[in-house]
Amino acid sequence: MQEVKPQERIVFVGAGKLATNLSVALQKAGYTITQVYSRTEEAAKALGERLGCAWTNCLENITKDADLYIYALTDSVLPHIASLPIGNKEAIHLHTAGSIDKDVFSTKKRYGVLYPFQSFSKEQLADFSQIPILVEGADEGVEEIITRTARNLSEKVYKADLEHRQRLHLAGVFANNFTNCMYAIAEEQLQKAGLPFDILLPLIQETAHRVETIAPRKAQTGPARRHDTNVMEKHIQLLQDDTSLETLYRIISTNIMNHEA
Amino acid sequence: MQEVKPQERIVFVGAGKLATNLSVALQKAGYTITQVYSRTEEAAKALGERLGCAWTNCLENITKDADLYIYALTDSVLPHIASLPIGNKEAIHLHTAGSIDKDVFSTKKRYGVLYPFQSFSKEQLADFSQIPILVEGADEGVEEIITRTARNLSEKVYKADLEHRQRLHLAGVFANNFTNCMYAIAEEQLQKAGLPFDILLPLIQETAHRVETIAPRKAQTGPARRHDTNVMEKHIQLLQDDTSLETLYRIISTNIMNHEA
């Protein structure tokens, strides 16, 4: 049996964390990355050399000889660059952002979105096989190609429009960013008692792994879940020098009490 | 070299999740569990048979012939039972609660606290070696014995008085209970988009593991960290049918923005 390699040649517009992770993963999956663009020479060169492909820091020098143009840019820059005449008419233009509409490419003919839902770093490259990827195409034909590309990277590919992506992004803010903020507040409370953050790590891991098998509302424990107002009042006293933390404690406790599984 | 086995004989007052985990771990560490008490015959018998020791559901029948009495009871019941004449005068009486003072045993001569900081279940017994244990004794001699007992279970033993334990308990509520509530809110947002909770699991694990090596304030990502008010306003619009969630979003985002690492 002969392996069928992906035919598409890809240009990356952007060379940040997401571009680095996604381009390396696509190259491993058999795609040809032909060129990398970044605003800064340093970033363009670094990723170009990592991939062993051409690179440029000049938008005018982006090759027209590719099949896919993947824009991995910050939300504030994407709309402007997406409107420029990059690539050729038959190429597919994709962005990778959760909160931006596919129609940011409406001056192009074939376009869509490939949104990998994970937090990336340049140092430790991600394994894409378990990373959820949300896809959307301007039409069915384009969507099929984007879906195939995503499936070559990950087992978890979902079709999702802007509203779905935004809702997922919001869910991610709660599950990731806000959770991390809870860890930070916990660390600051421990500092007040002269205790190290390490002491919380077993509990943090236990909580994160429990929801792999039990729905979070069913996994809920703690004083609010038990309606233990004595303990809650003692905690609120400990927070009395910070009204916003006190309010936070009350709102989250009320949310827990109002949603018993 | 001959192994020196712990000499203490232990009675457990209580047969719940914590009592089950702690008694099994102490037995494995070489301690003799002589008897288990629980208010219900069912629970007393189940744990007694698990440990192969005597059991009773009658407080009057608790043996006086033991060295350590460990009270693993809910906070609301502990003060009453701690005041009863259980055991003998020379025995050490310990409770295992985060938010209760050691002086709940002030009618006794020798007493203290051994507070294992983890969330337990009866089904999956915990490995105590990495679980932080906080200890406190009524006097130095007692504290030494309690500390030795804790060190026979775990590598992470800390001396801590009531104020420290309460602060740790509060930190645990943020890092565990409130984090779990963030997962639950995220799941409800995903349900609005018809997306499964599974989609968040890689991000949840990534976030929980990142703080093993990076301080949470430094690990912070997301729109609030980037001061991306466009995205934040879109998220707040998505929450406009629930004022408490909207307030929650604003308070946590402000906390993130006010504490940049």
Side-chain angles (χ1 to χ4, degrees), chain B residues 108-178:
Chain B
K108 314 239 185 299
K109 190 177 149 199
R110 307 174 81 202
Y111 57 86
V113 182
L114 185 152
Y115 172 43
F117 187 64
Q118 181 58 290
S119 195
F120 296 101
S121 75
K122 282 191 190 178
E123 294 72 31
Q124 198 169 357
L125 294 188
D127 166 17
F128 272 71
S129 65
Q130 297 304 310
I131 294 177
I133 301 183
L134 284 82
V135 295
E136 186 185 12
D139 59 53
E140 268 188 37
V142 169
E143 192 160 282
E144 207 183 299
I145 294 168
I146 300 174
T147 303
R148 196 181 61 216
T149 308
R151 289 226 172 98
N152 281 332
L153 293 173
S154 168
E155 296 166 22
K156 298 186 174 168
V157 177
Y158 304 85
K159 299 196 180 191
D161 62 16
L162 175 64
E163 199 192 314
H164 290 152
R165 275 185 280 122
Q166 280 183 334
R167 193 65 77 172
L168 175 63
H169 192 204
L170 173 60
V173 165
F174 275 98
N176 170 12
N177 304 150
F178 287 3

Side-chain angles (χ1 to χ4, degrees), chain A:
Chain A
M1 203 174 74
Q2 204 186 344
E3 196 190 354
V4 181
K5 282 201 172 185
Q7 296 296 313
E8 288 94 341
R9 294 155 303 165
I10 302 177
V11 166
F12 264 86
V13 182
K17 291 177 198 171
L18 174 57
T20 301
N21 278 270
L22 189 55
S23 61
V24 169
L26 284 164
Q27 195 179 56
K28 273 189 192 158
Y31 288 87
T32 304
I33 315 295
T34 57
Q35 193 187 32
V36 169
Y37 160 85
S38 172
R39 190 176 49 80
T40 69
E41 185 178 323
E42 193 190 349
K45 190 178 172 192
L47 185 53
E49 289 183 348
R50 190 164 195 164
L51 296 163
C53 73
W55 55 269
T56 179
N57 65 334
C58 177
L59 284 165
E60 289 73 24
N61 289 345
I62 291 178
T63 177
K64 297 209 177 294
D65 195 23
D67 307 296
L68 271 178
Y69 292 79
I70 300 183
Y71 298 66
L73 300 163
T74 56
D75 288 11
S76 55
V77 175
L78 179 58
H80 171 62
I81 298 202
S83 71
L84 299 176
I86 287 171
N88 63 68
K89 281 188 181 172
E90 288 307 313
I92 294 176
H93 299 261
L94 292 183
H95 75 70
T96 54
S99 293
I100 292 184
D101 196 359
K102 65 181 187 304
D103 289 341
V104 73
F105 291 119
S106 60
T107 59
K108 314 239 186 296
K109 190 177 149 200
R110 307 173 81 201
Y111 56 88
V113 182
L114 184 151
Y115 173 43
F117 187 65
Q118 180 59 290
S119 194
F120 297 101
S121 76
K122 281 190 189 179
E123 293 72 32
Q124 200 169 356
L125 294 188
D127 166 16
F128 272 72
S129 65
Q130 297 302 312
I131 294 177
I133 301 182
L134 284 82
V135 295
E136 186 185 13
D139 60 53
E140 267 187 38
V142 170
E143 192 159 283
E144 206 182 300
I145 293 168
I146 301 173
T147 304
R148 197 181 58 217
T149 308
R151 290 227 171 97
N152 281 333
L153 294 173
S154 168
E155 297 166 21
K156 296 185 176 170
V157 177
Y158 303 85
K159 301 198 178 190
D161 62 17
L162 175 63
E163 198 192 315
H164 290 152
R165 275 185 282 122
Q166 281 183 334
R167 194 64 80 172
L168 175 62
H169 192 203
L170 173 61
V173 165
F174 275 98
N176 169 13
N177 305 148
F178 287 3
T179 282
N180 187 75
C181 183
M182 296 300 114
Y183 299 158
I185 293 169
E187 182 181 34
E188 284 144 15
Q189 291 303 316
L190 285 183
Q191 280 167 354
K192 285 179 194 273
L195 291 166
F197 182 63
D198 279 14
I199 212 169
L200 288 174
L201 290 176
L203 200 57
I204 285 175
Q205 299 310 331
E206 167 78 15
T207 307
H209 287 290
R210 197 173 291 179
V211 291
E212 290 179 346
T213 48
I214 306 170
R217 288 290 179 202
K218 288 202 176 165
Q220 190 66 58
T221 59
R225 179 70 183 80
R226 292 192 303 272
H227 290 253
D228 188 339
T229 46
N230 274 335
V231 168
M232 287 162 71
E233 278 309 314
K234 280 183 203 162
H235 286 168
I236 285 166
Q237 275 173 33
L238 289 174
L239 296 172
Q240 67 189 356
D241 57 342
D242 188 328
T243 35
S244 79
L245 279 191
E246 194 187 316
T247 311
L248 190 60
Y249 189 99
R250 287 184 195 279
I251 292 178
I252 303 179
S253 295
T254 304
N255 186 289
I256 293 170
M257 289 189 286
N258 286 347
H259 290 85
E260 294 189 7

Side-chain angles (χ1 to χ4, degrees), chain B residues 241-254:
Chain B
D241 56 343
D242 187 329
T243 34
S244 80
L245 280 190
E246 194 186 318
T247 310
L248 189 60
Y249 189 99
R250 288 185 196 277
I251 292 178
I252 303 179
S253 294
T254 304

Side-chain angles (χ1 to χ4, degrees), chain B residues 10-25 27 33-38 40-56 70 72 121-122 125:
Chain B
I10 302 176
V11 166
F12 264 85
V13 182
K17 292 178 198 170
L18 175 56
T20 302
N21 278 270
L22 189 55
S23 61
V24 170
Q27 195 178 57
I33 315 295
T34 56
Q35 193 186 32
V36 169
Y37 160 85
S38 171
T40 69
E41 185 179 322
E42 192 190 351
K45 190 179 172 190
L47 184 53
E49 289 183 349
R50 190 164 193 164
L51 295 163
C53 74
W55 56 268
T56 177
I70 300 183
S121 75
K122 282 191 190 178
L125 294 188

Side-chain angles (χ1 to χ4, degrees), chain B residues 229-247:
Chain B
T229 46
N230 274 337
V231 168
M232 287 162 70
E233 279 309 314
K234 278 183 203 163
H235 285 167
I236 285 167
Q237 274 173 32
L238 290 175
L239 297 172
Q240 66 189 354
D241 56 343
D242 187 329
T243 34
S244 80
L245 280 190
E246 194 186 318
T247 310

Side-chain angles (χ1 to χ4, degrees), chain B residues 169-191:
Chain B
H169 192 204
L170 173 60
V173 165
F174 275 98
N176 170 12
N177 304 150
F178 287 3
T179 283
N180 186 75
C181 183
M182 297 300 115
Y183 301 157
I185 293 169
E187 182 180 35
E188 284 144 14
Q189 291 303 316
L190 285 182
Q191 281 167 353

